[in-house]
Amino acid sequence: MDRSSKKGSKMACCFPVILDRSMRSSFKLSKSSSSSKLNKSKSSICSSTSLSMKKKDVQENNELVVCFGELLIDFVPTLSGVSLAEAPGFKKAPGGAPANVAVGIARLGGSSAFIGKVGGDEFGYMLADILKENNVDNSGMRFDSNARTALAFVTLKADGEREFMFFRNPSADMLLTEAELDKDLIHKARIFHYGSISLIAEPCRSTHLAAMEIAKKAGCILSYDPNLRLPLWPSAEAARKGILSIWDQADIIKVSEDEITFLTDGEDAYDDNVVMTKLFHPNLKLLLVTEGGDGCRYYTKNFHGKVNGIKVTAVDTTGAGDAFVGGLLNSMASDPDIYLDEKKLRDALLFANGCGAITVTEKGAIPALPTKEAVLKILDGATAK
């Protein structure tokens, strides 16, 4: 891991991308201007109207889902089932779990925004542009001229499962400060979604905690997908402690079977009693366990069950869990109490399973995220059994 980190700062700029420089201007903040020729009374009226509209937008608490965390570049081997050293080439794809969720929601026709930091480099501007092109509000993004955008090399095994090698030394996403938070954007959200990677290092950890506090006070639903990436943490124990440190604050949690085993220190991930006693906290509304192609399990205070997955041929599982989360949160944004009605919840989870299924049929995360029409098509004839 140390060797990778040392190489990270050198290799971060070894993949040049030629972009139109004019695109950069769209991500810079323009300075406000004033004119002495403007009538002061008109200016006062406009300011008052603008302020009241802003407050109205905040109070409406519409169907916006704000995703907080990392945004990076995934490099996926063009040939599956080989090591990084043996790969003949790599396909560049935008990634980062929270950003994937944001794009997933927007692609389904929902409203989403992303808060995070990238490098003031070609990759950073490219990622901001990709969010914009996918109808994700990127006004909460910040750019760091002194740090690089994070890179991740993703090795695809023969079965489509992944292994990761990260280049962060440190990367820009680790350096987001509380002062850079777009608090107004968080206030407008109905759901605030995040992972655990932003908890690994300061100052981003403190910024993450501050953002959660703002969201909680604003009445947002807090959605948590730990998205365990052990190579990024100092140790397994640090990862377990860090992930669980904010566990009891979430309203919705999504975990995988492997994450259950890790977080419970080896307990049976398929045991409902383990899930309810070790992971379901008193304030939790909904706990979800994804099982890949086999579907997912759901747990609430009043009921629990399983919804089958949609069988497809997996090419790359990158982003499947994020697509699932995006599908569910898109449903919850318009119906926040869906977890109280088991039939509605099962229908929403079947739809989320469909989102994940489509995503594994292509390489890369964001490029493979589906539209609503594509999900409905694959679900035609499927039922939540």
Side-chain angles (χ1 to χ4, degrees):
M1 188 64 194
D2 292 337
R3 291 175 63 187
S4 297
S5 299
K6 290 177 182 177
K7 291 180 181 179
S9 58
K10 295 180 180 179
M11 294 188 69
C13 58
C14 294
F15 303 92
V17 176
I18 307 301
L19 301 175
D20 184 352
R21 298 282 176 173
S22 64
M23 67 177 282
R24 295 187 176 187
S25 61
S26 62
F27 308 114
K28 295 179 180 179
L29 296 176
S30 59
K31 296 182 180 180
S32 59
S33 61
S34 61
S35 172
S36 58
K37 295 181 180 180
L38 292 176
N39 184 283
K40 290 185 178 180
S41 61
K42 288 184 179 180
S43 176
S44 177
I45 292 173
C46 289
S47 298
S48 177
T49 303
S50 176
L51 181 60
S52 64
M53 289 177 66
K54 187 175 182 181
K55 287 182 177 179
K56 183 179 180 182
D57 287 341
V58 171
Q59 292 171 353
E60 278 179 352
N61 198 29
N62 59 18
E63 299 178 8
L64 176 67
V65 180
V66 172
C67 300
F68 174 92
E70 68 279 5
L71 175 57
L72 48 84
I73 300 290
D74 285 331
F75 285 93
V76 184
T78 54
L79 181 63
S80 299
V82 298
S83 68
L84 290 175
E86 295 170 331
F90 296 89
K91 177 183 177 182
K92 179 177 86 281
N100 292 343
V101 172
V103 173
I105 291 168
R107 198 162 289 173
L108 292 170
S111 176
S112 66
F114 175 77
I115 292 178
K117 199 173 193 180
V118 293
D121 50 38
E122 301 290 2
F123 282 141
Y125 293 116
M126 181 189 77
L127 289 170
D129 193 39
I130 287 171
L131 291 187
K132 187 176 182 180
E133 289 172 356
N134 282 280
N135 299 315
V136 175
D137 182 343
N138 65 4
S139 62
M141 285 186 69
R142 300 295 178 260
F143 299 83
D144 194 320
S145 59
N146 297 313
R148 293 297 191 188
T149 300
L151 306 180
F153 286 80
V154 187
T155 311
L156 302 180
K157 299 179 183 178
D159 59 1
E161 286 300 321
R162 304 154 295 159
E163 290 180 345
F164 294 87
M165 180 181 289
F166 295 92
F167 288 80
R168 307 162 88 222
N169 193 35
S171 52
D173 60 289
M174 302 164 68
L175 303 176
L176 183 69
T177 66
E178 185 176 348
E180 294 173 306
L181 273 180
D182 190 331
K183 299 178 176 64
D184 287 340
L185 190 57
I186 297 175
H187 279 125
K188 294 177 183 178
R190 171 164 283 175
I191 300 174
F192 183 70
H193 176 72
Y194 49 88
S196 69
I197 290 176
S198 46
L199 296 171
I200 296 174
E202 293 291 357
C204 192
R205 174 180 167 79
S206 293
T207 306
H208 181 143
L209 297 178
M212 285 176 57
E213 182 67 19
I214 293 168
K216 197 73 172 179
K217 289 182 178 179
C220 299
I221 295 170
L222 299 190
S223 168
Y224 185 24
D225 177 2
N227 196 38
L228 176 65
R229 295 290 179 263
L230 269 179
L232 294 178
W233 291 86
S235 67
E237 184 54 37
R240 189 178 293 108
K241 183 179 179 180
I243 289 172
L244 293 175
S245 68
I246 60 170
W247 195 265
D248 61 356
Q249 297 183 52
D251 298 299
I252 305 166
I253 296 177
K254 191 281 285 184
V255 289
S256 67
E257 299 158 286
D258 290 342
E259 287 167 343
I260 291 177
T261 301
F262 175 76
L263 294 173
T264 60
D265 203 16
E267 296 278 2
D268 184 0
Y270 297 93
D271 189 332
D272 291 338
N273 186 55
V274 168
V275 174
M276 291 301 292
T277 58
K278 297 292 184 71
L279 298 178
F280 200 97
H281 64 76
N283 298 319
L284 194 58
K285 294 179 173 66
L286 177 63
L287 176 63
L288 299 163
V289 180
T290 52
E291 300 180 350
D294 292 329
C296 66
R297 283 176 279 153
Y298 58 90
Y299 300 83
T300 73
K301 293 178 181 178
N302 301 316
F303 51 77
H304 68 272
K306 177 175 179 174
V307 176
N308 290 337
I310 311 300
K311 298 301 180 182
V312 294
T313 300
V315 174
D316 177 13
T317 59
T318 305
D322 304 327
F324 172 89
V325 172
L328 176 66
L329 296 186
N330 185 56
S331 297
M332 292 197 72
S334 58
D335 188 359
D337 295 328
I338 200 170
Y339 66 94
L340 297 174
D341 185 319
E342 188 167 12
K343 184 183 183 304
K344 284 185 177 181
L345 178 61
R346 290 178 66 83
D347 288 342
L349 292 176
L350 180 62
F351 182 87
N353 284 344
C355 292
I358 292 176
T359 303
V360 305
T361 61
E362 295 182 34
K363 289 185 178 180
I366 287 179
L369 293 169
T371 62
K372 183 177 181 179
E373 291 71 25
V375 179
L376 293 176
K377 183 177 180 180
I378 199 174
L379 291 180
D380 186 28
T383 56
K385 296 179 181 178

